[in-house]
Amino acid sequence: AEVLRITKKTLLLMDDMMRIMKRANGVGLAAPQIGVLQRVIVIAPLDYKPMALLNPVIVKSEGDQIGQEGCLSIPGLYGDVKRAAYVEVDCVDRKGREITLELEGMPARIVQHEIDHLDGKLFIDTVDMATLHWAHPGEAAEAE
């Protein structure tokens, strides 16, 4: 469900999601992953300040990139996924401001992965099956 207004409960959800993501050494988390059916994601790409995005929608995408992904929902499973190299995302920040993010490379991959969760998709739905493998989560270079 879309977040129609930011309440104390919404702010607590975002804070909880940040804590859960960090504790799991992740770089992204979507509310449905913790049983909350709201369009809320948190992302923490390297060299970016961690941020919560409400009602994120990809409004533009360009190029292709293939890279290894993992998921906190399936710890230890990794594989290559083709994603857009660049995305523009319209969303609402934790202060209720409508913003547009322009992301490329790994940050673009992370936000696409998390928005997929909001739409009921996991990375295994689009992974190159030939690259799917199990590894200790600490060994994967780019795990969600």
Side-chain angles (χ1 to χ4, degrees):
E2 276 198 19
V3 176
L4 302 178
R5 54 186 253 273
I6 298 172
T7 63
K8 277 187 179 181
K9 192 173 180 179
T10 311
L11 293 170
L12 285 172
L13 171 64
M14 291 184 281
D15 292 344
D16 286 347
M17 289 174 64
M18 285 286 186
R19 270 193 299 282
I20 291 166
M21 176 185 63
K22 288 177 184 174
R23 222 178 273 141
N25 295 317
V27 293
L29 185 68
Q33 289 179 277
I34 60 167
V36 178
L37 300 180
Q38 291 187 341
R39 296 191 69 80
V40 179
I41 65 174
V42 293
I43 61 171
L46 221 51
D47 301 326
Y48 277 72
K49 182 179 177 190
M51 61 183 103
L53 312 177
L54 307 172
N55 308 324
V57 176
I58 296 171
V59 294
K60 182 178 179 181
S61 62
E62 294 178 354
D64 290 324
Q65 62 169 317
I66 296 174
Q68 182 173 261
E69 293 187 19
C71 186
L72 296 176
S73 295
I74 314 170
L77 188 62
Y78 302 94
D80 290 347
V81 178
K82 184 177 180 179
R83 301 270 187 198
Y86 167 87
V87 293
E88 288 181 16
V89 179
D90 285 349
C91 59
V92 175
D93 70 8
R94 71 179 291 124
K95 294 182 179 176
R97 299 176 296 205
E98 292 183 13
I99 60 171
T100 299
L101 297 174
E102 296 181 22
L103 303 168
E104 58 186 331
M106 183 55 95
R109 173 174 299 283
I110 294 166
V111 80
Q112 290 171 83
H113 179 113
E114 300 310 328
I115 290 172
D116 275 357
H117 280 297
L118 300 180
D119 297 330
K121 289 171 47 179
L122 292 175
F123 86 101
I124 57 173
D125 296 324
T126 53
V127 71
D128 175 349
M129 293 302 258
T131 66
L132 207 55
H133 66 281
W134 292 96
H136 187 278
E139 296 171 9
E142 299 169 307
E144 178 218 353

